[in-house]
Amino acid sequence: MAAEIGKSLRAPLPWIPSKYFYDDRGSVLFEEITRLPEYYQTRTEEALLEAVAEPILAAGRPRELVELGSGTGRKIRILLDSLQKMGRLQSCVLLDINELVLNQSVQRLQAAYPQADFRGVRADFVDDLECLNPRGARLLLFFGGTVGNLHPRDVPGFFRRASHALVPGDTFLVGVDLVKDRARLEAAYNDSAGLTARFNLNILRVLNEKLCADFDLAAFEHVAFYDVENAWIEMRLRARRPSRVRIPLAGLSLQLERGKEIRTELSCKYTRESFTGRLEATGLRLERWFTDPEELFALALLRRTEEGRWR
Ligand code: SAH
Ligand code: AVI
């Protein structure tokens, strides 16, 4: 973490990887965000999943579910219920970077579905996917539009690595937040209750705690805007006044002028076309594209092909 932050904060536009949002406090804040009226993503994806769970399971006929960035593990219950009814539920793996949230989710799910075998893997879905050995009859899941938090240029590599957790014929379900009007998007990241602002600022507290940094949270303000050209929401923290920050464990001392910004998150929005474009030569192809009636959010069902099998 020290080396990563030392490098990212020295960049011309300083940035902090968004995985650092999710300490225990940040994970609770995210959960609260999912219930905000402006944050349409979670309720839209849940309703869509309820509607299409059966065709998704019929397409892959899995016996095992594996969820990346599983958080509280609420959405996966919709699929676990259907799979249980079909008599095919055998095992389930949750993978997340936050150990506390992961352990709580695994325990709750194990208690709710005692006949299945649950396992938690504390890992980074960008760097550590090789820990998911392919076993077959697996449905990989990546909900929440979290794929949008990867830079678009990193998405094909992510899909290539994810495809190696699957055997040809296995399926991968990805939640995708869609391009839509600016007002709706910006409202979702500038909520009137100020929760997203607290979530954003919390990342500085994580650096204070983990790297002995001395960020004064009151010296920064939350900024979130939609960049139409890149089709992404960008979250930043802007210095309200000149400030000097020391991050001893990263060997860094920063002099930030008033108005200087640190990027904390990209949240990319896709169309069916732009999303499909990221799948080329990844060993995955788009099989079905499900959306809600307002076309706010999509569930992309991908199939592992034979391509790249022996790499
Ligand atoms: N899937 C849930 C949670 C989405 S929030 C939903 O749809 O609501 C993003 C989740 O991914 C959080 O639980 C966070 O802890 C986890 N996460 C973020 N970056 C990660 C990374 N690089 N590797 C593993 N998990 C990560
Ligand atoms: C987890 N991820 C998909 C959320 C998003 O919308 O990009 C994180 C988030 N950031 C601000 N609000 C929610």
Side-chain angles (χ1 to χ4, degrees), residues 274-294:
S274 65
F275 182 78
T276 311
R278 304 281 97 195
L279 292 174
E280 222 171 280
T282 61
L284 295 165
R285 67 173 164 77
L286 181 68
E287 182 158 306
R288 304 279 305 265
W289 179 261
F290 303 98
T291 68
D292 59 290
E294 274 190 275

Side-chain angles (χ1 to χ4, degrees), residues 68-88:
L68 309 179
S70 45
T72 56
R74 210 170 67 214
K75 290 172 189 164
I76 202 171
R77 284 175 178 254
I78 299 168
L79 293 173
L80 289 168
D81 287 342
S82 298
L83 210 51
Q84 180 166 256
K85 269 192 222 134
M86 295 161 77
R88 290 186 62 84

Side-chain angles (χ1 to χ4, degrees), residues 106-117:
V106 168
Q107 272 171 25
R108 278 197 208 113
L109 290 176
Q110 185 67 78
Y113 305 88
Q115 77 287 13
D117 182 25

Side-chain angles (χ1 to χ4, degrees), residues 19 22 30 67 69-71 75 96-97 123-125 143-144 146:
K19 64 183 171 195
Y22 300 94
F30 175 73
E67 183 176 0
S70 45
K75 290 172 189 164
D96 203 281
I97 205 148
D124 185 327
F125 55 58
F143 290 135
T146 307

